[in-house]
Amino acid sequence: MSGPLAAWAGTWSPDSGVPGSSAFFTLIASMAGWVSGLTLVLSTSLSCCAIDTCQTAMFASLYDMVEQKVNIWVVRATVVLLNIPIIFLAMRAPDILQVYLLADLLACATILPVLFGLVKRLNFVHWTDALVGCFGGIIAVGVFGQAYLGNVHDGWRLLLLDGGLYVEDERVLGAFCVAPLGSVVFTFFFAGLRRLVTRLLGRQQYLYVNSIAESSDEDRETTPEKEYASEKPPS
C-alpha cells in the first residue's frame, strides 16, 4: 500500500521520474527525521528476522538430507557457500521487485515436489526424487527459454528474468507455467528410474511409512479395550 499512499500524499506521481518501487522512500523522505530513523530500524529488524529464519531452515533441511551423519560445521559452511550466488543475484537485480520475482519463480519450480510428501498415495517418492524434481523445474525454464527465444544465451538468462515482469512477449508467463510442470515430470521420471534400478539390483523398494500416524492409530484401537478391562470388577 506504500505506492497508493505516496500518490495520495502527493510525494510520487507517474511523471516524477521515480520508479514505482521507490514510492515508499519518497513518502518517508517527506516526513520528520525521527520517523525515517524509526522506519529504517524496524525495516532492518524485519529483514534480519526473515533472513535468520531462512538460514535456519536451510541448515535444518541440509542436516536432515545427510541424515545427520556429517559434521555440523560442514553443513554450516555449506549454507554460507549457498549464500554467495544468492547475494550475487541480489546485487545484479536492478530493483527489489525482480528479486521477489526470482523467488516466486524458484518457488514455482520447487513447491510441487515438496507437497508430494503430504500425499499418502505417493509414499514411493524418495527425497532424492523431490530434489531432482526441484532442479528439473529450474532446468525446464532454461530449456523453455532456449526454445522460445531461439538462442542459448537469452534462453538461459530467462532464469534471471532480466526484463522483469512486464515484457512484450509471453516469456515470463511461459516460465512460470513450465517450472511446476517440469518439476513434476522430473520427479516422477527419476522416481521411476530409481525404482527400476532398485528392482534390477534386487533391493527392497522404498516406501515412506508415517510411524507417528501408525502409532496413534494403534493407540486408538487399543484404548477402548484397556478402558473395558479397567472397568471389570475384581474377581
Side-chain angles (χ1 to χ4, degrees):
M1 291 298 295
S2 59
L5 288 176
W8 181 44
T11 60
W12 179 87
S13 64
D15 301 330
S16 61
V18 179
S21 58
S22 303
F24 174 73
F25 300 101
T26 62
L27 183 64
I28 295 298
S30 63
M31 297 183 178
W34 67 271
V35 177
S36 301
L38 181 62
T39 304
L40 179 62
V41 172
L42 294 177
S43 302
T44 305
S45 301
L46 181 62
S47 300
C48 290
C49 292
I51 294 174
D52 178 69
T53 304
C54 181
Q55 301 299 317
T56 304
M58 291 174 60
F59 169 78
S61 300
L62 290 175
Y63 201 44
D64 288 339
M65 285 176 57
V66 297
E67 299 179 353
Q68 303 180 2
K69 297 180 180 179
V70 180
N71 192 302
I72 190 172
W73 287 102
V74 176
V75 182
R76 290 174 177 173
T78 305
V79 173
V80 174
L81 294 177
L82 289 176
N83 280 276
I84 296 177
I86 297 174
I87 297 174
F88 175 75
L89 291 176
M91 295 177 63
R92 289 287 304 274
D95 53 35
I96 189 63
L97 294 180
Q98 186 174 352
V99 177
Y100 284 118
L101 198 61
L102 288 172
D104 293 338
L105 182 61
L106 182 62
C108 286
T110 57
I111 185 63
L112 290 182
V114 174
L115 292 180
F116 287 160
L118 303 177
V119 182
K120 189 175 182 180
R121 293 184 178 180
L122 300 180
N123 58 351
F124 60 90
V125 177
H126 194 258
W127 66 265
T128 54
D129 307 331
L131 184 63
V132 171
C134 293
F135 283 104
I138 299 174
I139 295 174
V141 175
V143 174
F144 163 77
Q146 181 178 349
Y148 185 82
L149 300 176
N151 61 85
V152 178
H153 182 266
D154 294 338
W156 287 93
R157 283 187 67 85
L158 183 60
L159 291 170
L160 302 178
L161 298 174
D162 286 339
L165 183 61
Y166 304 104
V167 292
E168 297 179 354
D169 51 20
E170 306 296 335
R171 68 180 72 178
V172 178
L173 177 61
F176 277 92
C177 292
V178 168
L181 294 177
S183 64
V184 173
V185 172
F186 272 84
T187 299
F188 287 108
F189 174 78
F190 190 80
L193 181 62
R194 178 185 55 79
R195 290 175 63 85
L196 177 61
V197 173
T198 304
R199 179 173 298 180
L200 292 177
L201 294 178
R203 297 181 180 179
Q204 185 178 2
Q205 296 290 341
Y206 169 83
L207 288 177
Y208 174 75
V209 179
N210 192 344
S211 58
I212 298 178
E214 288 188 351
S215 61
S216 62
D217 293 338
E218 292 177 358
D219 293 339
R220 292 175 183 175
E221 294 176 357
T222 56
T223 299
E225 298 178 359
K226 291 181 180 178
E227 292 179 353
Y228 177 76
S230 61
E231 292 176 357
K232 290 182 178 180
S235 57

